[in-house]
Amino acid sequence: MFKKNHKLNQWLWKWHFIAGLISLPIVILLAITGGIYLFKDSYEAPRQAHIKTVKVEGEPISYQEQWQLAKPNLHKPPFTMVIPTEANQATAFTSGMFSHKKSVFINPYKGEITGNINPKDTDMHKVRKLHGELLLGKFGTKIVELVASWLFVLIITGIYVFWPAKKEGIKGFFKIRFKQGKRILFRDLHTVFGFWISILLLMTLAGGMPWTDVFGDSFKWVQKVTNTGFPKTWNARSLKSHAEGKPISLDDMVTLAKSMDLKGEVSLGLPKDKIGVYSIYNTTFDLGAQKRFHFDQYSGEQLVHHNWEDVGILMRGRMWFMAFHQGQFGLWNWVLMICVAVLLTFISVAALVSYLKRKPDGKWGTPKVPAKFKVGYGVMALIVLLGVVFPLFGFSVLAIIVVELLKKKRLRSE
């Protein structure tokens, strides 16, 4: 146990309080929508089964013929085909990426389209948009990023403010006072549970930040200048086929892909034009097992082969935390993220209840800081560091400083 600086504790408590009060509604919204989105697969599976599942009857038509059926219904590259693993599985052909993604499903036995799936038209896509941008587009994304940036500060200041006094010992980390009134009870519920999930919250935030605008773009820039992102040929953008002879059939490429025995869902990237290439890659949450192969569409020559080890360290870390954020490392990760969502909602509501119980009538009840207190260089350095790492947080701190200076100037002139 260490001895806390009482004045610093009061100063950090003040800013923990202010930041928490401002961001509380959005934090609760993010926790609830994030928890709901974790049920995406189980929610969508029965609603899409009639499109993705077919009746096995007779012999299937070739993949090349299926591709010709799907092509008129797809809008723009990149084009991919998910290699079926079950006989009753419709063949999925996909175009575009992210919100522009569209999938067409083919019944290989009847040679007809079973349906289309556009992620942006689904209920869960709306939940994701609410979670990531408050349904306000780029402006909403920046609000979420600002709140997420302040959440790092809330967690750090919360840990310091909560840290028990030396005389309390280890018991202080578990102490919940049930018999001293609702204000104390809800305060303890907020602080104790908040402390014990703080590391998980930081990991969850780290997984969400790459999707943001300002931090996300800055992170991508760092990856680029340090060469720690994906290899340039990871997505085959700079690779070309030599247009000589007859292209290899899609069926031959499917046979090759199946022979590789890759882990997880295996996809086949289709040439977007006469000099495009074939790509075989797998999607699995055992990130270390991910592989990518790119082939000349005429000769079948392997142009590039990438393992997960070829990916830069920043990108590997980014992808790990993003997968962790979405609960994609198996049942344990999914359950853990559900618990984080529930507990974050709980400690946020507990904080609000505790505040309302202690709030004086007609006042905000902002914690007081000793007039002579001056922030130390260590704290200032930490604030500057956080402001550089999270630019929107940095700009908001500058705005607060300007407002505080103007307020003091006004008080002196009165």
Side-chain angles (χ1 to χ4, degrees), residues 7 72 105 112 155 179 196 229 266 273 300 303 344 364 370 383:
K7 291 181 179 179
F105 292 82
E112 60 185 26
I155 294 167
K179 299 179 180 180
W196 285 109
V266 181
D273 51 35
L303 303 175
L344 180 55
W364 285 103
I383 293 172

Side-chain angles (χ1 to χ4, degrees), residues 15-187:
W15 289 109
H16 181 86
F17 169 86
I18 292 172
L21 198 60
I22 293 171
S23 60
L24 186 64
I26 294 177
V27 170
I28 293 174
L29 178 64
L30 293 179
I32 293 172
T33 53
I36 293 172
Y37 194 74
L38 288 168
F39 291 89
K40 174 180 179 293
D41 291 342
S42 58
Y43 175 82
E44 291 182 342
R47 289 164 176 78
Q48 298 175 350
H50 66 288
I51 295 176
K52 294 183 175 182
T53 306
V54 298
K55 183 180 179 181
V56 179
E57 44 188 352
E59 291 296 318
I61 62 175
S62 70
Y63 288 109
Q64 192 70 42
E65 291 175 285
Q66 293 180 55
W67 170 226
Q68 295 306 317
L69 287 170
K71 196 181 294 185
N73 294 276
L74 298 173
H75 52 298
K76 62 179 181 179
F79 301 115
T80 61
M81 186 196 94
V82 178
I83 298 177
T85 56
E86 302 291 340
N88 67 342
Q89 187 177 341
T91 308
F93 292 91
T94 301
S95 71
M97 297 175 69
F98 309 117
S99 61
H100 300 291
K101 188 176 180 180
K102 177 183 179 180
S103 296
V104 175
F105 292 82
I106 305 295
N107 184 327
Y109 304 101
K110 291 187 174 181
E112 60 185 26
I113 295 173
T114 61
N116 303 330
I117 294 178
N118 298 323
K120 66 179 181 180
D121 295 332
T122 63
D123 294 334
M124 280 298 178
H125 183 76
K126 295 180 178 66
V127 173
R128 180 170 182 166
K129 285 293 183 181
L130 183 58
H131 181 74
E133 58 185 46
L134 310 178
L135 301 181
L136 297 174
K138 290 289 185 180
F139 177 71
T141 303
K142 289 179 176 61
I143 293 176
V144 171
E145 180 177 352
L146 178 61
V147 170
S149 300
W150 271 99
L151 262 177
F152 281 96
V153 179
L154 280 166
I155 294 167
I156 294 169
T157 55
I159 290 173
Y160 187 93
V161 172
F162 163 74
W163 201 271
K166 191 173 183 180
K167 62 180 181 180
E168 292 186 289
I170 298 297
K171 292 181 180 179
F173 291 103
F174 303 92
K175 188 177 180 180
I176 298 176
R177 293 164 287 184
F178 290 94
K179 299 179 180 180
Q180 296 187 28
K182 290 183 179 180
R183 181 181 75 82
I184 297 296
L185 171 60
F186 281 99
R187 173 197 173 278

Side-chain angles (χ1 to χ4, degrees), residues 187-234:
R187 173 197 173 278
D188 288 349
L189 290 171
H190 168 74
T191 55
V192 172
F193 281 101
F195 173 80
W196 285 109
I197 67 166
S198 58
I199 300 300
L200 286 174
L201 285 177
L202 289 172
M203 293 172 67
T204 304
L205 283 169
M209 292 304 290
W211 278 296
T212 59
D213 286 348
V214 182
F215 175 87
D217 288 346
S218 300
F219 194 85
K220 289 174 187 175
W221 178 82
V222 172
Q223 286 180 168
K224 184 177 180 181
V225 298
T226 59
N227 196 29
T228 52
F230 283 125
K232 290 182 180 179
T233 52
W234 181 260

